[in-house]
Amino acid sequence: MSPAAERRLALADFLRSRRAKVARHEIGLPSDGRGKVIGLRREEVSYLSGVSVTWYTWLEQARDIQPSREVLNAICRTMLLDEPERAYVFELAGYATEVVHADTANTAPDAVQHLLDALDPNPAYVVFHDWSISGWNAAYESLYPKVAQAQVESRNLLWMIFTDPSVRELLPDWESTSRRFIAEFRAEVGPFLDDPDVADLIARLTGESPHFREGWNSHSVELFTSRCREFNHPQLGRLVLEHHRLALSDQPHLHLVIYTTTSTEDARRLFALAPGVGHRAAEPE
């Protein structure tokens, strides 16, 4: 399947899922006569968006048509989509900035690894567009030792969240956090749906994890926001860290993720956990 066809299919799936979740009263519609208060018919979406039923049906069937920005805006308004969801729709429709698919090496560049090491004792790591982890520092390895033990093909943040039981023990709010990660991943991965690594990751997770499959099929979209995260560390107990993510201007295909402390006590315990500063590049197995 061509990249354009992949994006059309993803857009069709997303529109169908969102159409089924619209609360009718929020757009001024009564129940549909059968007591249904959630979900719109295609005819209703087309009428409210000012497009023909046939044309909108083609859009949900992933036909090879090119909707205008105006039409997409109208559909987004009808379905009450928020800004991350709108951005995702426009990306899939081909209106996002052109994406250059960078070759992903197993290791972060030396300069990036030096930055990671300098951030100790704050846990930090870098991920590619498919969330594969390419480098980390001593503090992050102390927080999550399995990052250094994983095979290269499994050293992916999303894969570890849904397949490593120790992550559930580390995250007391695993259920809600894992769902949020899926929504954030979907928001970012739209332009890369034709990437073989991304497609393979989604296929493997869908087959491996019912929780991922359910979350992915919900089509939730959410942009990343810095926030407090809670961890249950086996040695340190409860830690509350702020979760931040930065784009590297000279490495646009990489994102730097940093956890910072919110209290003096947490800072003291993190320093005691990883007092040394060491090189933790993701060496190929």
Side-chain angles (χ1 to χ4, degrees), residues 108-109 111-112 115 126-127 246-256:
V112 174
L115 174 60
V126 288
V127 293
L246 307 173
L248 301 174
S249 60
D250 62 337
Q251 300 286 339
H253 56 293
L254 288 176
H255 282 102
L256 171 66

Side-chain angles (χ1 to χ4, degrees), residues 65-174:
I65 57 176
Q66 181 58 55
S68 68
R69 290 179 179 271
E70 292 75 16
V71 165
L72 290 175
N73 269 322
I75 293 172
C76 288
R77 284 195 299 271
T78 297
M79 294 189 182
L80 306 176
L81 301 188
D82 59 22
E83 284 309 309
E85 291 169 330
R86 285 172 178 264
Y88 183 64
V89 165
F90 276 83
E91 285 178 349
L92 295 179
Y95 289 107
T97 303
E98 183 179 357
V99 174
V100 177
H101 293 274
D103 292 330
T104 56
N106 290 324
T107 60
D110 287 344
V112 174
Q113 185 61 53
H114 296 159
L115 174 60
L116 289 170
D117 292 338
L119 290 169
D120 268 313
N122 295 299
Y125 61 91
V126 288
V127 293
F128 285 112
H129 65 274
D130 65 350
W131 287 23
S132 57
I133 301 173
S134 65
W136 59 91
N137 62 8
Y140 184 71
E141 185 174 334
S142 296
L143 183 67
Y144 179 54
K146 287 192 176 181
V147 69
Q149 303 165 10
Q151 298 292 317
V152 171
E153 60 272 16
S154 299
R155 193 180 286 130
N156 178 283
L157 183 62
L158 210 59
W159 179 260
M160 290 174 164
I161 288 169
F162 285 96
T163 64
D164 183 0
S166 71
V167 174
R168 292 199 184 207
E169 298 174 4
L170 185 64
L171 303 179
D173 57 353
W174 182 90

Side-chain angles (χ1 to χ4, degrees), residues 235-241 261-273:
Q235 281 82 47
L236 302 183
R238 179 177 179 269
L239 284 171
V240 178
L241 305 175
T261 54
T262 58
S263 71
T264 302
E265 176 61 20
D266 282 342
R268 183 191 64 77
R269 289 190 293 163
L270 268 187
F271 185 81
L273 183 67

